Amino acid sequence: MATSAAERAAVQRALALAASDGVPLGPNPRVGCVLLDAAGRTVGEGFHRGAGTAHAEVDALRRAGEAARGATAVVTLEPCDHTGRTGPCTQALLAAGVRRVVVAQRDPNPVAAGGADTLRAAGVEVELLDGELAAQARALNAAWTFAVERGRPLVTWKVATTLDGRSAAADGTSRWISGAASRRDVHRMRGLADAVVVGTGTVLADDPQLTVRDADDRPTAVQPLRVVVGLRDLPATARVLDDAAETVHLRTRDPHEVLAALRARDRQHVFLEGGAHLAAAFVRAGLVDELVVYTAPVLLGAGTPAVADLGITTIGAALRPRVTDVTVLEGGDVRTTAALEPTGAAQEREA
């Protein structure tokens, strides 16, 4: 049975529910569910509000009550088929008498996957979407999906640089290379991650607080984990050690060890902020997935490069990120967003 117009509209509604204000970005995926009767009318809807709360399907079923019997459940993520903090959504759907389930994204988590097969085996009609609606569902939980599939957090590297590629002047000063609009945007970007990572050198040189603040410079309610990487001790007075957010000091220089430690803490999206040597280590290890570069209309001619030696000695070996967005911010800074694919991936994609 092909997806109806009412079901496609319900997918969009379920995606909007999943992204409701206040729903955390992790560690659980954001999920929405809409229940339709035989005429395509909504009889219940729900969404997951975070770890330990009712899943979207259960939330919608409770709101629908007896109207759920014979209904179609439209969900943004395949119903789970395991018992965790809550029971399996497959069994809740079967107990409610749902006759059809439309799934926008298959669950990539092997622990929870298999819901579609379980429902089919019980006689429920299941349709797995592809195309644009499936892409939207995947984008809803991009970092969570990446972390589940790759076994490590998604890494976004942020750097602020001058037109000639400097992150600091020759005397070490760098405040401020980028403008106020860029700095506000960085706080927005930090708020999309669940871990902000810098090296000990950045802490010792700049003493950043690494919190997320709103447009009025007030700390937001939810703060990412602050992560300092490196072997050197930090002074007790370092702002990154204050009580504004949780902080962990990982005494290693190995990016693989950093990501393994953060994955063990259920972190899915790392916002890598510096400095040049730490960023280069992640790039050399092939562990940077996305770049966000704020380029200020400034020329220095000398100073600290935005990234340290990458071991590239010839133009043929240059890394060529795939630009996905270019935006001119208020004040003249340019934000460039690009995907950094593993070596050879771009050539294979174009072949």
Side-chain angles (χ1 to χ4, degrees):
M1 178 178 175
T3 310
S4 68
E7 289 170 347
R8 291 193 294 273
V11 173
Q12 296 288 2
R13 174 58 180 164
L15 289 168
L17 287 168
S20 295
D21 289 343
V23 177
L25 297 177
N28 285 14
R30 296 180 292 172
V31 184
C33 176
V34 174
L35 297 173
L36 303 175
D37 66 13
R41 296 177 298 231
T42 299
V43 295
E45 57 183 34
F47 60 95
H48 184 48
R49 292 166 174 78
T53 66
H55 286 194
E57 298 93 324
V58 173
D59 188 30
L61 291 170
R62 287 174 180 169
R63 295 172 188 275
E66 283 301 313
R69 188 158 301 278
T72 293
V74 178
V75 292
T76 58
L77 183 67
E78 180 181 9
C80 67
D81 198 36
H82 81 300
T83 300
R85 296 187 185 183
T86 59
C89 291
T90 51
Q91 298 307 310
L93 291 166
L94 292 173
V98 168
R99 68 170 184 85
R100 173 172 161 84
V101 176
V102 177
V103 176
Q105 181 190 3
R106 291 212 72 153
D107 195 332
N109 185 355
V111 174
D117 293 338
T118 295
L119 291 168
R120 283 194 181 111
V124 174
E125 182 181 340
V126 178
E127 181 171 357
L128 301 172
L129 301 181
D130 55 16
E132 180 58 28
L133 290 175
Q136 290 180 37
R138 185 180 177 89
L140 174 71
N141 294 298
W144 175 83
T145 300
F146 182 100
V148 170
E149 293 179 343
R150 302 289 187 90
R152 67 166 177 86
L154 173 74
V155 177
T156 298
W157 170 34
K158 184 277 296 184
V159 62
T161 179
T162 62
L163 285 172
D164 51 350
R166 307 292 177 176
S167 63
D171 64 356
T173 55
S174 61
R175 188 182 177 106
W176 298 100
I177 282 180
S178 57
S182 289
R183 296 194 294 275
R184 288 194 299 270
D185 198 58
V186 167
H187 282 281
R188 178 187 66 83
M189 294 290 295
R190 279 182 188 167
L192 299 176
D194 51 18
V196 178
V197 176
V198 299
T200 53
T202 295
V203 173
L204 295 172
D206 299 335
D207 194 24
Q209 191 179 30
L210 298 180
T211 54
V212 179
R213 296 185 292 279
D214 63 20
D216 297 318
D217 203 34
R218 297 172 301 195
T220 58
V222 178
Q223 294 289 335
L225 176 70
R226 300 179 293 190
V227 183
V228 182
V229 174
L231 304 180
R232 287 181 286 181
D233 291 334
L234 303 176
T237 56
R239 293 203 302 160
V240 76
L241 298 178
D242 65 19
D243 59 1
E246 183 184 358
T247 300
V248 60
H249 183 182
L250 300 178
R251 292 182 179 270
T252 180
R253 294 193 179 109
D254 184 341
H256 293 279
E257 292 182 359
V258 172
L259 295 187
L262 295 179
R263 182 62 176 152
R265 291 173 174 263
D266 217 3
R267 305 295 160 157
Q268 302 161 0
H269 189 182
V270 165
F271 197 55
L272 178 64
E273 294 208 42
H277 291 281
L278 183 63
F282 271 80
V283 174
R284 287 196 305 268
L287 295 176
V288 171
D289 308 296
E290 180 184 50
L291 286 76
V292 180
V293 183
Y294 296 89
T295 305
V298 175
L299 292 170
L300 285 174
T304 305
V307 64
D309 183 14
L310 295 177
I312 297 172
T313 58
T314 179
I315 192 66
L319 299 176
R320 300 183 183 276
R322 177 171 51 87
V323 175
T324 57
D325 180 74
V326 177
T327 300
V328 179
L329 302 176
E330 181 182 354
D333 289 355
V334 177
R335 183 191 66 215
T336 303
T337 306
L340 187 56
E341 298 169 320
T343 303
Q347 292 87 339
E348 292 175 6
R349 178 168 47 81
E350 295 170 0

